[in-house]
Amino acid sequence: MKGLVFHGAADVRYDEMVDPTPTECTDVVVKMRLCSICGSDLHIYHGGLAPPRNVFGIGHEAMGEVVEVGKDVKHLKLGDRVMLPGSTGCGECRYCQVGLVNSCERGGMQVYGIGRELEGCQAEFIRVPNGDFNAKIGRAS
């Protein structure tokens, strides 16, 4: 697949990336439709944030369609349109339950595109950990 890949300050390329696959039975894979460019992306681009690794996909806060579900995913199905926040959580601890995923007690806090664990959403597909919690079904207006 293709995506926007950080290679260094002011060096972002539309490049080949590894296709995401579920690593846990609660993961989903989402085909990206829209992804924002936010201040974090610009800080990385301009060299203002330490990169999490030498080469990585960028972008977070996105929308897409579920194309693969892990066997323990209960609330999402193929074809669901979902919204993805910038960061993820376990979905079960007291902090995640009140929306404070940055304080996740179970180590579920990960950030798309600027963390060490998740690639960015400026790609064709993205793996979403704990899909039932971290991918919110969008409603058409």
Side-chain angles (χ1 to χ4, degrees):
M1 76 168 182
K2 294 275 201 168
L4 292 183
V5 178
F6 175 89
H7 288 272
D11 185 6
V12 173
R13 305 175 203 163
Y14 186 60
D15 226 343
E16 289 293 328
M17 297 177 69
V18 175
D19 289 341
T21 58
T23 59
E24 301 292 332
C25 53
T26 55
D27 291 351
V28 299
V29 174
V30 172
K31 180 178 182 176
M32 291 292 95
R33 297 289 185 211
L34 300 167
C35 182
S36 67
I37 296 175
C38 77
S40 300
D41 300 315
L42 297 175
H43 290 305
I44 292 169
Y45 179 80
H46 292 294
L49 285 177
R53 49 196 187 272
N54 289 334
V55 177
F56 61 95
I58 63 170
H60 48 272
E61 294 137 355
M63 296 172 66
E65 179 182 327
V66 175
V67 295
E68 188 172 350
V69 295
K71 68 178 182 71
D72 290 341
V73 173
K74 295 174 176 55
H75 304 293
L76 296 172
K77 63 184 181 316
L78 297 179
D80 280 346
R81 292 181 182 182
V82 295
M83 299 177 289
L84 306 177
S87 55
T88 68
C90 75
E92 297 176 4
C93 75
R94 62 186 168 148
Y95 291 111
C96 285
Q97 288 297 304
V98 296
L100 299 172
V101 297
N102 59 325
S103 298
C104 180
E105 294 176 315
R106 298 185 179 175
M109 199 291 216
Q110 300 175 36
V111 182
Y112 297 105
I114 59 174
R116 295 195 178 278
E117 301 86 4
L118 296 174
E119 291 295 345
C121 296
Q122 294 276 354
E124 293 178 280
F125 299 91
I126 191 74
R127 178 182 71 86
V128 179
N130 301 309
D132 281 330
F133 178 72
N134 294 306
K136 305 299 183 199
I137 296 177
R139 302 284 183 234
S141 54

